[in-house]
Amino acid sequence: MKRKLLMALLAGTLAIAAPVSCFAAETTEAAEADAAEDSSDEEEDADAEEADAESADSDDAKEERTAAKKKEDLKTVGEKTEGCIAFKLRNGTGKKITGLAIKTADETEFPENMMEADDVFELKEKKRVYFSKENSEAETAEETSEDTAPTHDMQLTFEDGTTADVHGIVLEDLGTLTLREKDGIIYGTYKLKSTKEKKSTYDTEKAIADQAAADAAAAQAAADQAAAAQQTESYDYSYDNNDYSYDYGGGDDYSGGDDGGDGCLDNGLLN
């Protein structure tokens, strides 16, 4: 009897434990599935980030891949001549470009506009630019080390009449120069063909803009100080003149003689 009772109790215990074990097994399997799903999500996120990074690559890389498949048919700026610098220029700013001038970094003045009177760089448009070297540029190239390409500056004129300069561009070692705008600063990005190194002129343009703002503020402060000093000097001079006029006006008393009488009357009585 006792043995039968023990067997019944044991069977009941096993019956209760079985669902618990099944539940535990199901829980473990669910956790593993969640972990696998999380891992899959992370991989997808990583793939997405990589895809975003690839899509955020410079336009130079995209254009080079596209150029390998087909040759681009682009409008041109400048005349193609022997020994000229040829590159592609893309307008990634928020304004249309109506003027383009290029000079070497050591020259002080920009030459005339390379673009035709009716030519415009539309937003996001890309053109092929042919820049012919001048004599001064040829001399600069000869004096430059063989390992260092000369740099050029570019002046842009926009449809609203404003201008912007982009500095220190290695024109002879790039495929595409993309003009961009950030915080009101126009700058250029490109990739060197020789080393595949990515370049940006943003830091240079920002430093120049900051220095120009500081110089303008200093000049304004000096002008305000000079105006204040001039106003103070003018006030003091006017005050001195008023005192002099007042003292001179009192000289009528002197004509009365030393005794304070009427000098003219005294002379008349004496005669």
Side-chain angles (χ1 to χ4, degrees):
M1 182 67 179
K2 290 182 179 179
R3 186 175 181 180
K4 291 181 179 180
L5 182 59
L6 288 174
M7 291 296 291
L9 291 174
L10 181 59
T13 302
L14 291 174
I16 295 173
V20 174
S21 299
C22 292
F23 178 76
E26 291 176 358
T27 304
T28 303
E29 291 176 358
E32 291 177 353
D34 291 342
E37 186 176 352
D38 292 341
S39 177
S40 177
D41 290 342
E42 290 177 358
E43 290 178 358
E44 290 179 0
D45 291 342
D47 292 340
E49 290 178 359
E50 184 177 355
D52 290 341
E54 290 178 356
S55 64
D57 279 346
S58 66
D59 294 326
D60 304 343
K62 294 179 183 178
E63 289 160 2
E64 287 176 2
R65 290 193 295 268
T66 303
K69 298 179 181 179
K70 64 179 182 178
K71 186 177 180 180
E72 295 173 305
D73 184 16
L74 303 175
K75 295 180 180 179
T76 62
V77 175
E79 183 180 357
K80 185 178 181 180
T81 58
E82 184 178 357
C84 70
I85 301 175
F87 63 97
K88 288 175 283 187
L89 183 63
R90 180 176 182 270
N91 180 16
T93 71
K95 296 182 288 186
K96 296 179 182 180
I97 299 173
T98 58
L100 172 65
I102 302 173
K103 69 177 184 63
T104 56
D106 60 342
E107 290 180 301
T108 57
E109 299 293 334
F110 281 98
E112 295 181 356
N113 179 18
M114 297 175 58
M115 298 174 62
E116 299 293 338
D118 57 348
D119 192 11
V120 175
F121 256 103
E122 300 289 345
L123 303 183
K124 308 301 181 183
E125 184 182 9
K126 183 170 56 178
K127 295 179 185 288
R128 193 180 303 276
V129 179
Y130 297 110
F131 174 62
S132 298
K133 301 177 184 179
E134 299 295 337
N135 293 333
S136 60
E137 295 174 328
E139 293 174 0
T140 302
E142 291 176 358
E143 296 173 358
T144 305
S145 170
E146 294 181 358
D147 298 332
T148 305
T151 59
H152 294 79
D153 298 338
M154 182 177 294
Q155 185 175 76
L156 309 168
T157 302
F158 298 100
E159 60 179 344
D160 59 1
T162 59
T163 61
D165 295 349
V166 182
H167 301 83
I169 311 166
V170 189
L171 282 185
E172 297 186 60
D173 195 19
L174 62 83
T176 300
L177 172 64
T178 301
L179 302 171
R180 305 180 186 275
E181 184 174 1
K182 178 181 177 182
D183 301 329
I185 296 175
I186 304 296
Y187 65 104
T189 60
Y190 57 94
K191 185 168 65 175
L192 297 177
K193 291 188 293 185
S194 59
T195 62
K196 306 302 180 184
E197 180 185 0
K198 295 180 181 179
K199 292 283 190 177
S200 172
T201 69
Y202 177 78
D203 290 340
T204 299
E205 315 309 339
K206 188 175 186 306
I208 293 174
D210 290 345
Q211 185 61 51
D215 292 343
Q220 184 61 47
D224 293 343
Q225 184 176 3
Q230 184 177 5
Q231 184 177 4
T232 301
E233 181 180 355
S234 176
Y235 176 79
D236 292 342
Y237 180 74
S238 176
Y239 182 77
D240 292 341
N241 283 345
N242 288 338
D243 288 348
Y244 177 76
S245 299
Y246 177 78
D247 293 342
Y248 182 77
D252 293 338
D253 295 340
Y254 180 75
S255 62
D258 293 338
D259 58 356
D262 190 339
C264 294
L265 180 60
D266 293 340
N267 289 337
L269 293 175
L270 290 174
N271 292 331

